[in-house]
Amino acid sequence: MRTSAVPSVLFVCVHNAGRSQMAAAFLTHLGSDQVQVRSAGSAPADTVNTAVVEAMAEVGIDISAETPKVLTTEAVQSSDVVITMGCGDACPYFPGKRYLDWQLEDPAGQGVAAVRPIRDEIEHRIRGLLAELGVEATE
């Protein structure tokens, strides 16, 4: 059940400074205008993790201007798919929404070398999500 003409995906993690930012950036980049993308955190940080920004720049995606956003009930309600990444019970649940929980290592406090495999796993999962949504990835 879609809430709009294109599928809408919300990525949620605690700080909205690492995993959810990378996932949103990959989905925006690969899904072009075929997917509406949001990300948020249950306890957002002040800034996006610098190692995450650097790791994404290595694959040609600039997220340096992104800022962590607070999770709102409205963001969940207006999304077709909600993908959580370690936010636990802080994520609101609404019947009829599709929820996925991606178990991924938290990049907080880690250097870019440790972030790269997390980034690559997120990209792999995003490509699979696009296929599930029937959206062809743009390169």
Side-chain angles (χ1 to χ4, degrees):
M1 163 168 67
R2 287 190 182 167
T3 56
S4 62
V6 298
S8 176
V9 178
L10 170 64
F11 296 100
V12 183
C13 66
V14 175
H15 300 297
N16 190 224
R19 296 166 289 188
S20 57
Q21 289 284 347
M22 288 189 282
F26 273 123
L27 188 55
T28 299
H29 179 75
L30 297 171
S32 188
D33 58 356
Q34 302 172 82
V35 182
Q36 186 179 55
V37 183
R38 297 178 182 87
S39 72
S42 54
D46 293 329
T47 60
V48 174
N49 181 323
T50 56
V52 167
V53 172
E54 184 179 340
M56 292 302 287
E58 291 176 350
V59 295
I61 300 175
D62 180 9
I63 63 168
S64 62
E66 294 298 324
T67 57
K69 294 165 264 329
V70 68
L71 176 63
T72 65
T73 300
E74 294 78 25
V76 177
Q77 288 177 318
S78 60
S79 299
D80 300 307
V81 181
V82 179
I83 299 175
T84 59
M85 302 171 172
C87 74
D89 294 336
C91 296
Y93 177 81
F94 293 96
K97 299 288 173 195
R98 179 176 176 207
Y99 287 86
L100 300 171
D101 185 42
W102 288 359
Q103 297 293 320
L104 296 161
E105 188 175 347
D106 189 348
Q110 301 194 55
V112 71
V115 173
R116 287 182 188 117
I118 302 167
R119 174 202 64 201
D120 296 344
E121 176 62 21
I122 290 172
E123 180 182 10
H124 173 75
R125 291 181 188 211
I126 291 298
R127 289 180 181 279
L129 177 64
L130 283 167
E132 289 176 29
L133 294 173
V135 174
E136 187 172 333
T138 59
E139 295 300 324

